[in-house]
Every structure is written in structure tokens, then in C-alpha cells.
Amino acid sequence: MDEQTIQSIVNSVLRELGEKDLPAGQVTRIQPEGKSSQQNNPPAYKPSAAAGRQSSSGAQVSEQKQSEPVDTGEGLEDLSLDKFIHWNGIENAHNASVNDDMIKQTAARVCQGRAGPRPRTISLLRFLADHSRSKDTVVKEVAPEWLEAHKLWEVQSCATDKSEYLRRPDLGRKLSDEAKKIIGERCKKSPQVQVVISDGLSTDAITNNLEEIIPPLMKGLESAGFTVGTPFFLRYGRVKAQDEIGELLQAEANLLLIGERPGLGQSESLSCYCVYKPTQKTVESDRMVISNIHKGGTPPVEAAAVIVDLTRKMLEQKASGLNLKR
């Protein structure tokens, strides 16, 4: 179809619409799909109001547009602040107070709202931050300097490093030969109660709670009249390792404070596993656990009192787990 024919068709359409005919040679062509008309007809440059100012050398200087963001050097706000944790993302709610009350009653991610089919930006950023925090506490190490500052000496399980510990849970359940030797040399034999601390799956659980739980726990056990063994730190430990320690030291009650597997946004939860006269034949039904020990769950000081009372009952009844009558 030649250009004259196209011109004729366009003019007839324009006449029907009450518009004037296009001058000859000014037919608007339809661009092929995927191509922009700006490729052939780039927009002409329009100087801004600020343009035209010249430097002392005579060269023209362009100024930054006011609409462009200016870096003030300030970072983003901390997403762990309470206003983000209890953030109400529901806009134009019929009764916003109901949503606000719901948010206060639970730590779950409720009333976050959405942007179309996607989560709100704050919700997504908090999710990513909490997920990163949970992953970090698993792979972090308890620093030897931190242990030294808290007067704890350490032994290690059969796992050689954190990577192997995570890949081989069975190695975390056994003591290394060196660990057995050190424990035998440095620990009191046949105590009524032996306390062991282990990183487990959360370094934060140890570093954030130990200062608040160990002093009242040790004082409570001593005030109850029990002979308490020497506390120490087991690196790369699993719960089952307390059975080998108990058998090695012939302790009546073994208390293992260990980091729990972290949840989303909760990376500092501690557990205390309690067992009476543990041996290699001890099964899980012989064990008792007090879990969720942290400032947002069971406070460490309160947990220490519960552990002392439970230890007293274990020693009185000479039993633990399902065999213990509460």
C-alpha cells in the first residue's frame, strides 16, 4: 500500500471524527510491536529553568534536579524496633482498634496487609531480616574470649567444626577423647548435680541468657543443700551428650543448658534438659525439658527457680521423665 493511499484512508477517518485533514507527508506510521516510536523520533532536549548558568570558565553547568533523592548519610531504621514488630499494615480498616488489639495479643505476623498479591514492603523486609537473624545464630561461634570472661572452660564433641556439626548430628552426641580426658581431670566426681552449657543450634541463646540464669541456678542448687559439680561448656553439643557426661562423672542429676533451634525472629531461646542418673542406655522418655527460656518467654531467673525445684523432685524420687510423679 503506497503512502498516498494511506494518506487518503487517514484523512477519511479524520473527517468522520470532525478533524482536519493531515498535511501531505505527515502520516503517523504504526510501529512494529516491541519497538518504541522514540527510537526513530527521540524527544527534543528541553533545558530546565536552572540550565544556562555558566561557570567562571564559560562552560555551561547543569544543576541537580530537585526531584532527585539526596543522600543524607542516615541509614534505615532498625526493623527490630517495637513499632515495626507491632506494625499494623491494614489500611482503611472498618475498625482499626480490633486489629491493634489482635497485634498486641500475639507474636504472629497478623494484620500485615498486602500490596496487590504481594506483601507490604515493611513485612517483606522484616521477614528477610528475621530469617537472616535465625540463620546467623546457627552458624555463629561462641568466642573463646567470651567463655574466658565468664570463667568457663570448654571441651568439644566429636564434631571438628560447625559445618560438620550441622551435617552430622551423631557426632555432636559423643565426646571427643580429649574431652573425656579433660572432664575426668577437672570435674568433681559423683556430684549430686552436674551443670553443662552447650551452644547447640543457637549461639545467641547462650550469650544472651547465661549471665541471667547461671548465678541464680547455682545459688539455688547450693541453697537447696546439693553438692554441685564444676560447670563447663561443651562446644558443638547435642542433647544426648549429657548421658555420656553423666555416666563419666557418675552424677545423680545432669542439667544441660543448650541453645534451641531458632524460629523466625526468635534466635535466643534456651532449653534445660534434666535427667536422673543418665547413662548410654537413657532414652528420651527419661528426659525432661524446660524450654523457651529468654526475655520474651520464660524469664531466665524464673526458669532457674523451676529447674531447682525440678532437680529437688528428681533427687527425692530418684527418677526423671515419665517415671517422675509430680
Side-chain angles (χ1 to χ4, degrees):
M1 185 179 296
D2 59 22
E3 190 165 328
Q4 186 176 1
T5 305
I6 296 173
Q7 180 85 38
S8 176
I9 294 173
V10 171
N11 286 336
S12 65
V13 173
L14 290 174
R15 281 194 294 271
E16 291 181 8
L17 295 174
E19 301 289 342
K20 295 181 179 179
D21 293 353
L22 282 175
Q26 293 190 12
V27 178
T28 302
R29 297 185 180 276
I30 299 175
Q31 296 294 326
E33 185 177 354
K35 292 186 178 181
S36 170
S37 61
Q38 292 183 352
Q39 292 177 331
N40 297 326
N41 299 286
Y45 170 70
K46 295 182 179 180
S48 64
R53 184 171 58 86
Q54 294 185 346
S55 66
S56 58
S57 61
Q60 194 171 37
V61 178
S62 62
E63 295 185 354
Q64 186 181 32
K65 296 180 181 179
Q66 293 183 356
S67 60
E68 293 181 3
V70 178
D71 185 3
T72 61
E74 298 180 0
L76 295 175
E77 290 189 274
D78 187 353
L79 292 172
S80 64
L81 294 175
D82 187 70
K83 69 176 183 178
F84 292 118
I85 294 176
H86 297 104
W87 177 67
N88 188 344
I90 303 296
E91 296 181 341
N92 304 317
H94 178 67
N95 189 344
S97 63
V98 174
N99 294 335
D100 291 335
D101 185 63
M102 189 188 307
I103 292 170
K104 293 177 183 178
Q105 300 301 321
T106 178
R109 296 164 193 268
V110 297
C111 300
Q112 297 291 290
R114 59 188 175 88
R118 294 171 294 278
R120 301 285 296 277
T121 301
I122 290 179
S123 299
L124 180 59
L125 290 177
R126 274 203 61 227
F127 179 89
L128 294 175
D130 288 344
H131 187 241
S132 298
R133 179 183 173 189
S134 298
K135 291 197 318 185
D136 286 347
T137 193
V138 173
V139 299
K140 282 192 303 188
E141 299 274 6
V142 176
E145 295 79 14
W146 187 90
L147 294 173
E148 185 178 352
H150 290 80
K151 299 179 180 180
L152 285 173
W153 49 271
E154 71 169 286
V155 295
Q156 191 166 311
S157 69
C158 288
T160 56
D161 54 34
K162 182 59 73 78
S163 177
E164 186 175 53
Y165 168 73
L166 295 174
R167 290 184 286 106
R168 293 283 305 275
D170 57 309
L171 297 179
R173 301 183 186 115
K174 302 175 183 177
L175 298 176
S176 64
D177 292 336
E178 184 181 4
K180 295 177 186 177
K181 179 182 177 182
I182 294 174
I183 290 172
E185 292 173 349
R186 303 187 67 169
C187 286
K188 183 187 297 185
K189 302 298 187 297
S190 302
Q192 284 182 288
V193 184
Q194 176 64 50
V195 177
V196 183
I197 301 103
S198 181
D199 47 4
L201 291 172
S202 175
T203 297
D204 290 345
I206 301 301
T207 57
N208 289 352
N209 297 304
L210 196 68
E211 291 180 355
E212 294 187 38
I213 194 170
I214 282 293
L217 176 60
M218 299 300 291
K219 186 176 180 62
L221 292 171
E222 291 170 1
S223 298
F226 304 136
T227 57
V228 184
T230 311
F232 62 89
F233 178 74
L234 173 62
R235 192 176 293 276
Y236 309 142
R238 301 275 179 174
V239 174
K240 183 65 177 174
Q242 77 175 144
D243 299 339
E244 189 172 7
I245 294 170
E247 191 173 49
L248 188 64
L249 296 176
Q250 294 297 302
E252 287 189 59
N254 187 281
L255 310 178
L256 175 64
L257 297 168
I258 189 169
E260 292 180 4
R261 179 181 290 105
L264 187 63
Q266 180 45 259
S267 64
E268 54 190 48
S269 188
L270 186 72
S271 288
C272 180
Y273 286 85
C274 312
V275 61
Y276 179 76
K277 285 192 174 180
T279 68
Q280 298 285 359
K281 296 182 180 179
T282 295
V283 294
E284 294 311 302
S285 60
D286 296 328
R287 218 179 305 277
M288 294 177 296
V289 60
I290 299 167
S291 61
N292 204 35
I293 302 172
H294 59 93
K295 63 182 180 181
T298 302
V301 174
E302 181 181 329
V306 174
I307 295 168
V308 171
D309 185 62
L310 181 58
T311 302
R312 179 181 57 79
K313 291 179 180 178
M314 286 196 301
L315 295 177
E316 286 177 353
Q317 299 184 31
K318 301 184 183 304
S320 61
L322 295 180
N323 296 321
L324 181 70
K325 297 178 182 178
R326 298 202 187 187

